[in-house]
Amino acid sequence: MSASTPTPEVSSSNFLRERIAEDVRNKKYGDAVIQTRFPPEPNGYLHIGHAKAICIDFGLADEFGGCTNLRFDDTNPEKEEQEYVDAIQDDVRWLGFDWEELRYASDYFGQLYEWAKKLISEGKAYVDDLTADEIREYRGTLTQPGKESPYRNRSVEENLDLFERMKKGEFPDGSRVLRAKIDMSSPNMNLRDPVMYRILHAEHHRTGNEWCIYPMYDWAHGQSDSLEHVTHSMCSLEFADHQPLYQWYIQQLGIFPSQQIEFDRLSLTYTIMSKRKLLRLVQEGLVRGWDDPRMPTLGGLRRRGYTPESIRNFVTAVGVSRTNGIVDLAMLEHFLREDLNKRSLRAMAVLNPVKVVIDNYPEGQVEEMDAVNNPEDESAGLRKVPFSRELFIEQDDFREVPPPKYYRLSPGKEVRLRYGYLVTCKSVMKDANGNVTEIHCTYDPATRGGNTPDGRKVKATIHWVSAQHAVDAEVRVYDTLFTVPNPDDAPEGKDFTANLNPKSLEIIRGKVEPSLAQAKPGERYQFERLGYFCVDPDSKPGAPVFNRTVALKDTWAKIEKKQ
């Protein structure tokens, strides 16, 4: 169920909704409520790809008046940690949802064990002594059938005894497995006697050392769905070939008939979605952690300044299909800008400052200019911005020798200072290397607020910060983490890390208006003419740190118009 009232995540027509609607009309599950689940493995942080699954699982259940469980698929103790469990819960709630019940696959270890014994007793499962390599060899190929294990026809009694001894810890890791007895000649490789349990003497984050045999995903998942009376178990397309096995287990056990439905994964350009690869970036120090703002994790996106609304709206627009594809990162950024434009307070900041001295402005005088907090939201009101004789402007807003069609400040040129006055450049001062250190201007006192009483035309408006009142700020400007649209397209002999962008982070010491001195972590602003920025948790009072969330330029909007 929703923790708040988010934008409908899957409001457009899609085959998942149609399937659920048909099942409701036909009373496939009688009068039972629609039950879904979101089942992440706690072996890493959630990323933008998981956001699609979350929006679908929770959004469709909400739409049909149903429920969604958050269930951790914690069957692999060597890779799972409580840190990930906690982070996943935080991310689901941040995205705008809450769950009906919190469950774990480990809640069902006892029941899964009993069901495994049932299949053994019915001659549908057996203990196998083949090594992992031998099992792969015996399984065959896509064009050749597999061959049966020499241990496949052990008696029920021997299998039950061995399985009990596996549970008691009598055998070393990897020495035996429990396999379902299905069909070694099946064209579906997943039905060629799949492994149900392996021996693993490892401490589990919840059950400790109670178990030394752990269920495989295919054995745990469908039965966990059934125990929770999940009516629609929606998962990504890579599990489509697993669906017959999902159904086989449920049918053999005669339990609640949960059904699996597959949809396309979300993939983005310039982005890695593999948790294994993301973990490597963290472990090798190639990023600053799971919540590094360059990471596609929900924690990273949140720290960078993304809003949950923008992500939900993006997922809605992407939709669902039965074919995997890749989405342009520009599309996600379009929905981010669209949302930030509505909710972000405006502020002025100068990232690459050069000083402007207004020679005819009274020394020591300070005026307070009225500045609009958000032109998209009248209720946001106005703020006061100090204006003085000495200001900072962006270096890019001045050219001593302007190129053609350059309308910003240059010798003899008049420009409008945002919320301030019209100023005209008269001279410059330079250092020994010829770099401009000060720009000297005059101002027109009759143009306060940027007005031109005589109606003269001024083509450029630039932003500024009062030098006397400016607050020093660290500004972290982010670019894509990778230099190519598909990071896995690496040169021969290299891997995806060869495509890391060495310029993905630039740290700038900028100047910001004084209202930002006490900005709190997580607050979002539009720095006028520069982009959207978010206050980083590293900030301290009087020493703010800002992450650039996204620049103002929207390439996707242009692409969309051409389509």
Side-chain angles (χ1 to χ4, degrees), residues 480-492:
T480 57
L481 189 55
F482 296 94
T483 57
V484 296
N486 183 358
D488 285 321
D489 284 345
E492 187 174 352

Side-chain angles (χ1 to χ4, degrees), residues 130-141 145-147 184:
L130 292 179
T131 65
D133 288 339
E134 289 170 334
I135 289 175
R136 278 191 292 271
E137 181 183 345
Y138 274 57
R139 184 161 282 152
T141 67
K147 58 181 181 179
M184 289 302 295

Side-chain angles (χ1 to χ4, degrees), residues 27 202 272 275 361 395 412 416 523:
K27 290 188 173 292
I272 285 288
K275 279 198 286 187
Y361 192 87
Q395 291 181 16
R416 177 182 290 103
E523 291 181 342

Side-chain angles (χ1 to χ4, degrees), residues 225-274:
D225 283 348
S226 182
L227 285 165
E228 296 174 20
H229 284 202
V230 170
T231 57
H232 298 82
S233 180
M234 293 170 284
C235 58
S236 48
L237 282 171
E238 67 263 34
F239 294 102
D241 288 342
H242 296 245
Q243 186 183 134
L245 180 57
Y246 180 102
Q247 294 171 340
W248 188 87
Y249 283 137
I250 286 176
Q251 290 166 359
Q252 300 307 312
L253 294 171
I255 55 180
F256 182 84
S258 297
Q259 58 179 326
Q260 176 178 301
I261 314 170
E262 304 86 19
F263 61 91
D264 60 316
R265 298 184 67 173
L266 174 60
S267 297
L268 283 175
T269 55
Y270 300 96
T271 307
I272 285 288
M273 296 292 194
S274 162

Side-chain angles (χ1 to χ4, degrees), residues 175-239:
S175 59
R176 287 188 165 94
V177 295
L178 182 70
R179 298 176 68 179
K181 187 185 293 186
I182 307 179
D183 182 1
M184 289 302 295
S185 63
S186 173
N188 186 328
M189 300 284 284
N190 294 294
L191 296 179
R192 295 183 186 178
D193 290 10
V195 174
M196 298 168 60
Y197 277 92
R198 79 280 198 198
I199 300 172
L200 185 61
H201 292 80
E203 186 171 343
H204 189 276
H205 72 102
R206 291 187 73 238
T207 61
N209 294 307
E210 181 182 352
W211 294 88
C212 63
I213 57 171
Y214 289 95
M216 303 299 287
Y217 172 86
D218 283 325
W219 171 240
H221 186 71
Q223 283 54 259
S224 299
D225 283 348
S226 182
L227 285 165
E228 296 174 20
H229 284 202
V230 170
T231 57
H232 298 82
S233 180
M234 293 170 284
C235 58
S236 48
L237 282 171
E238 67 263 34
F239 294 102

Side-chain angles (χ1 to χ4, degrees), residues 131 171 316 431:
T131 65
F171 307 120
T316 301
D431 61 17

